[in-house]
C-alpha cells in the first residue's frame, strides 16, 4: 500500500513528516526566498504500474500502484483513461502532421481537474474532513463539488464576479455552496480563516505567492503521463499544456520521470506551458527561481489560466524537461477554438486550445520540427464557458420553402467541392 510517509520540497529537497499541516505555504525553508510546493514520499513502492488490488475498474485508479492509498477508500466517478486522438487535419494546417490531442473533456465533469479531485477527496475523506473547499473560477470547483457529492461531503467553492456562468451552474447542480467575492483576492482570506477556525479541507492555494494546489491531489495528474505512454506507439517529443499555477504540468512531469526511473521510457518529452501574461517566459529568460508578477496588459478570455504570476513548480517542470513557455493572445485563442472544432470535431474551452496556439508559434519559429510527435492536452469542454466564447448567438433566418433550402445546400456543396 502506498501510505504517504512524508513530504519533500521540490526545490531544496528538505523532508518533512507525514503529519505536517499542508496549508499551501509549502516548504518552510523556501518560504522567504522562493515559495515551493512539496511532493509526497512513499516507502518501498512497487516498480509496476498495474493495480494489484483491482481497486476501481475502468478509471485512472488502474494505476493505483503509483498513487496514494487511503484507509477510507477511493472516491471515483470513472475519471481518466481519456482518448489520445490523432489530429492530422489541424496538424497539417499548423505544420505538425504528427499531432495528437489528449481530450480531457471526456472526464466525468468534462475537465482534467477530475484527476486531481478523485485523489484529493479520497484523502479528505480518509482524514475525517466534513467540508472540502476551493478557490476556483470554474473547472476545479465543479470537479471538487461532484466528488464531494459522491463522498457525502459538504463542498464550498469561493469564486469571483466574472466567472463563467455555465460552470457556476454546474457547481450548484452538484449541491455545493458558491461564495462569489467582489474582490478576487478576498477568496484566500476567507479560506485561510475557515481552514484555521472551521477545519475546512482546502484543496486550492490560499496564500500569496502561490506554490500550487494540495500536493496529494497533484499526484493524480501523473496518470496523464502513464496514459499517454500506454496509448502511444512512439513516445511524443513534446507535451503542451495550458498553464496557470502548473499543477497538471507538475504532475505530468512527475509521471514521465517515474516512467523513466522504471525503465518504461528512454527519455522525458519536452514540456511546454501555454500561458497568458508571461511570468514563466520571464523566469526562464532571467534564470531565477522566483516568479515575478507580470503586468496584466489585457483581459484574457482564457479565464482559467489568466494568472499574472505562476509558480516555481511549473518553472521546475519546464527546466527539468528542456521545455519552454509561450504567451497566447485572445484573438489567437478564439480563432483556434473554431479551427479545432471545425477540423477535428472537438469543441474545447477557450483556455484549453492555448496549447494549439503554442504549437503554431513554436512551429513557425522552427523550435518544433515538422516530423516531431506532439501531444496537446485539451483540458476541458467548450460548453464550460459558452457565455465568454460566444459573444451572441447567431440567429439563422428560417427557410420559407424546400426550394430555398435546396438552393442553399446546392451552393454550399459546390463551394466545398471547388475549395
Amino acid at each position: 500500500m502506498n501510505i504517504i510517509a512524508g513530504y519533500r520540497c521540490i526545490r531544496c529537497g528538505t523532508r518533512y513528516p507525514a503529519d505536517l499541516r499542508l496549508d499551501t505555504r509549502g516548504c518552510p525553508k523556501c518560504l522567504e526566498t522562493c515559495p515551493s510546493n512539496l511532493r509526497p514520499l512513499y516507502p518501498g513502492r512497487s516498480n509496476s504500474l498495474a493495480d494489484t488490488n483491482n481497486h476501481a475498474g475502468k478509471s485512472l485508479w488502474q494505476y493505483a500502484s503509483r498513487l496514494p492509498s487511503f484507509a477510507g477508500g477511493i472516491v471515483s466517478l470513472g475519471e481518466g483513461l481519456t482518448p489520445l486522438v490523432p489530429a492530422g487535419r489541424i496538424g497539417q494546417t499548423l505544420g505538425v502532421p504528427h499531432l495528437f490531442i489528449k481530450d480531457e473533456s471526456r472526464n466525468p465533469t468534462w475537465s482534467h481537474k477530475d484527476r486531481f479531485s478523485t485523489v484529493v477527496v479520497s484523502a479528505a475523506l480518509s482524514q475525517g474532513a466534513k467540508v472540502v473547499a476551493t478557490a476556483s473560477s470554474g473547472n476545479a470547483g465543479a470537479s471538487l463539488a461532484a466528488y464531494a457529492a459522491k463522498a457525502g461531503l459538504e463542498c464550498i467553492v469561493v469564486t469571483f464576479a466574472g466567472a463563467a456562468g455555465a460552470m457556476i451552474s454546474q457547481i450548484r447542480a452538484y449541491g455545493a455552496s458558491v461564495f462569489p467575492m467582489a474582490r478576487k483576492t478576498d477568496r484566500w482570506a476567507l479560506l485561510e480563516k475557515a481552514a484555521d477556525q472551521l477545519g475546512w479541507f482546502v484543496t486550492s492555494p490560499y496564500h500569496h505567492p502561490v506554490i500550487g494546489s494540495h500536493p496529494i491531489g497533484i499526484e493524480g495528474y501523473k496518470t496523464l503521463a502513464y496514459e499517454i505512454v500506454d496509448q502511444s506507439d512512439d513516445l511524443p517529443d513534446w507535451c503542451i499544456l495550458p498553464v496557470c499555477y502548473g499543477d497538471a504540468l507538475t504532475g505530468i512531469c512527475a509521471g514521465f520521470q517515474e516512467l523513466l526511473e522504471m525503465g518504461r521510457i528512454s527519455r522525458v518529452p519536452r514540456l511546454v506551458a501555454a500561458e497568458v501574461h508571461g511570468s514563466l517566459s520571464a523566469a526562464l529568460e532571467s534564470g531565477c527561481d522566483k516568479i515575478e508578477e507580470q503586468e496584466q496588459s489585457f483581459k484574457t478570455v482564457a479565464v482559467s489560466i489568466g494568472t499574472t504570476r505562476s509558480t516555481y513548480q511549473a518553472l521546475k517542470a519546464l527546466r527539468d524537461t528542456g521545455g519552454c513557455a509561450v504567451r497566447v493572445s485572445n484573438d489567437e485563442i478564439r480563432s483556434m477554438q473554431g479551427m479545432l472544432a471545425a477540423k477535428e470535431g472537438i469543441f474545447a474551452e477557450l483556455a484549453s486550445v492555448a496549447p494549439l496556439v503554442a504549437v503554431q508559434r513554436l512551429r513557425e519559429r522552427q523550435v518544433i520540427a515538422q516530423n516531431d510527435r506532439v501531444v496537446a492536452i485539451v483540458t476541458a469542454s467548450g460548453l464550460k464557458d459558452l457565455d465568454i466564447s460566444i459573444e451572441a448567438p447567431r440567429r439563422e433566418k428560417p427557410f420559407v420553402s424546400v426550394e430555398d433550402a435546396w438552393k442553399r445546400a446546392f451552393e454550399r456543396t459546390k463551394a466545398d467541392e471547388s475549395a
Side-chain angles (χ1 to χ4, degrees), residues 72 121-132 153 199 201:
V121 172
S122 298
L125 189 66
S126 291
Q127 293 179 23
K130 303 300 182 185
V131 179
V132 292
L153 301 177
F201 188 106

Side-chain angles (χ1 to χ4, degrees), residues 141-382:
S143 180
L144 189 69
Y147 283 81
K150 179 69 173 177
L153 301 177
E154 185 177 352
C155 180
I156 310 292
V157 178
V158 188
T159 187
F160 55 88
M167 285 193 266
I168 299 301
S169 297
Q170 187 182 11
I171 292 167
R172 289 196 169 108
Y174 293 129
S177 298
V178 178
F179 286 39
M181 308 299 293
R183 292 192 307 173
K184 191 174 181 179
T185 53
D186 285 346
R187 298 180 302 163
W188 293 349
L190 174 63
L191 289 174
E192 181 174 16
K193 189 171 184 179
D196 288 341
Q197 299 184 23
L198 301 176
W200 289 5
F201 188 106
V202 181
T203 64
S204 69
Y206 58 92
H207 291 291
H208 191 77
V210 173
I211 60 161
S213 297
H214 201 293
I216 293 178
I218 290 174
E219 291 288 280
Y221 290 127
K222 295 189 304 185
T223 59
L224 278 166
Y226 305 155
E227 290 176 24
I228 288 169
V229 169
D230 281 347
Q231 293 168 335
S232 301
D233 293 330
D234 295 299
L235 186 68
D237 299 289
W238 302 85
C239 285
I240 306 180
L241 297 83
V243 172
C244 181
Y245 297 132
D247 292 337
L249 187 73
T250 300
I252 196 172
C253 182
F256 280 127
Q257 288 172 336
E258 288 185 5
L259 291 170
L260 183 67
E261 293 166 2
M262 295 164 62
R264 289 286 304 274
I265 57 177
S266 59
R267 57 177 173 80
V268 171
R270 297 175 70 180
L271 299 180
V272 178
E275 60 176 349
V276 172
H277 296 298
S279 63
L280 292 169
S281 301
L284 287 168
E285 185 176 346
S286 71
C288 296
D289 283 357
K290 191 173 182 180
I291 312 295
E292 299 293 344
E293 197 85 35
Q294 301 297 303
E295 180 183 356
Q296 186 174 342
S297 55
F298 67 99
K299 184 178 180 180
T300 182
V301 295
V303 177
S304 61
I305 59 170
T307 185
T308 55
R309 183 177 188 169
S310 191
T311 61
Y312 173 77
Q313 65 175 7
L315 178 63
K316 177 175 170 56
L318 298 179
R319 284 179 176 165
D320 285 352
T321 63
C324 60
V326 178
R327 293 183 65 177
V328 298
S329 71
N330 283 348
D331 288 345
E332 291 172 314
I333 288 171
R334 287 190 184 278
S335 175
M336 192 62 72
Q337 184 189 49
M339 187 190 302
L340 176 62
K343 287 187 176 294
E344 300 294 346
I346 297 173
F347 182 41
E349 179 193 32
L350 286 163
S352 297
V353 302
L356 295 170
V357 176
V359 170
Q360 186 173 37
R361 291 274 201 88
L362 293 173
R363 181 70 190 102
E364 289 170 352
R365 287 157 39 189
Q366 298 187 349
V367 176
I368 291 178
Q370 183 178 14
N371 291 324
D372 282 353
R373 298 177 67 84
V374 180
V375 171
I377 313 294
V378 169
T379 48
S381 166

Side-chain angles (χ1 to χ4, degrees), residues 41-56:
L41 295 170
Y42 308 96
R45 189 163 47 168
S46 166
N47 198 40
S48 169
L49 286 179
D51 173 21
T52 56
N53 296 315
N54 194 26
H55 280 85

